[in-house]
Amino acid sequence: QDLLLASQAERGMRLIQPERDLIIKAPDANIIDRTHKKIRSIYTQAYNWEPPLSSSIEGLTSTSMREYVKGWITEWDLKRIDPQVQIELEFTNLKQDYTENKNLETSAEEEGSAG
């Protein structure tokens, strides 16, 4: 059972490796607007506070849907805590590395033998 689970995990990691040429279509303005309204409504219900309609990340063409959602929620959280705060969000791309780190195995083995 462990071997099956391990092989499935390895297959999953290969599927999400950055070397793959996966192209995800950027969200269009209509999808962004519908998503913004839906998430804004959920946020309003959750915190009993109505976020501003405008956002500092509107109109960015290279922003992924995930960045929009995280940006809206981060901005709303900050505005809810301090309505006077001036917000300027910055987005940075992080490079994922799914290669195996042999040092982690060595450290775990050393800890196991030390006890």
Side-chain angles (χ1 to χ4, degrees):
Q1 188 174 4
D2 289 342
L3 287 175
L4 175 63
L5 185 60
S7 69
Q8 290 171 339
E10 287 176 0
R11 182 171 181 259
M13 287 186 283
R14 279 193 297 275
L15 288 172
I16 61 174
Q17 283 182 334
E19 291 84 31
R20 294 181 54 102
D21 293 330
L22 299 176
I23 298 173
I24 299 173
K25 189 176 102 178
D28 63 30
N30 186 35
I31 291 173
I32 293 168
D33 186 51
R34 286 194 338 243
T35 305
H36 181 266
K37 287 177 183 173
K38 188 177 287 187
I39 292 175
R40 187 173 179 276
S41 173
I42 293 168
Y43 192 95
T44 299
Q45 291 174 5
Y47 291 101
N48 197 27
W49 181 81
E50 196 163 328
L53 288 171
S54 63
S55 171
S56 63
I57 63 169
E58 288 178 0
L60 300 179
T61 57
S62 63
T63 303
S64 69
M65 183 57 80
R66 182 175 189 268
E67 288 173 336
Y68 275 107
V69 172
K70 288 185 74 168
W72 295 327
I73 293 172
T74 299
E75 188 171 342
W76 296 337
D77 285 345
L78 294 170
K79 288 276 190 189
R80 186 171 44 87
I81 293 167
D82 181 2
Q84 304 304 317
V85 71
Q86 295 296 317
I87 299 168
E88 187 176 319
L89 298 178
E90 181 177 315
F91 297 96
T92 304
N93 289 328
L94 299 176
K95 184 179 181 327
Q96 300 297 322
D97 182 6
Y98 297 104
T99 57
E100 183 177 5
N101 185 339
K102 293 287 188 183
N103 292 332
L104 293 176
E105 275 186 36
T106 305
S107 298
E109 289 170 1
E110 289 172 358
E111 287 179 17
S113 64

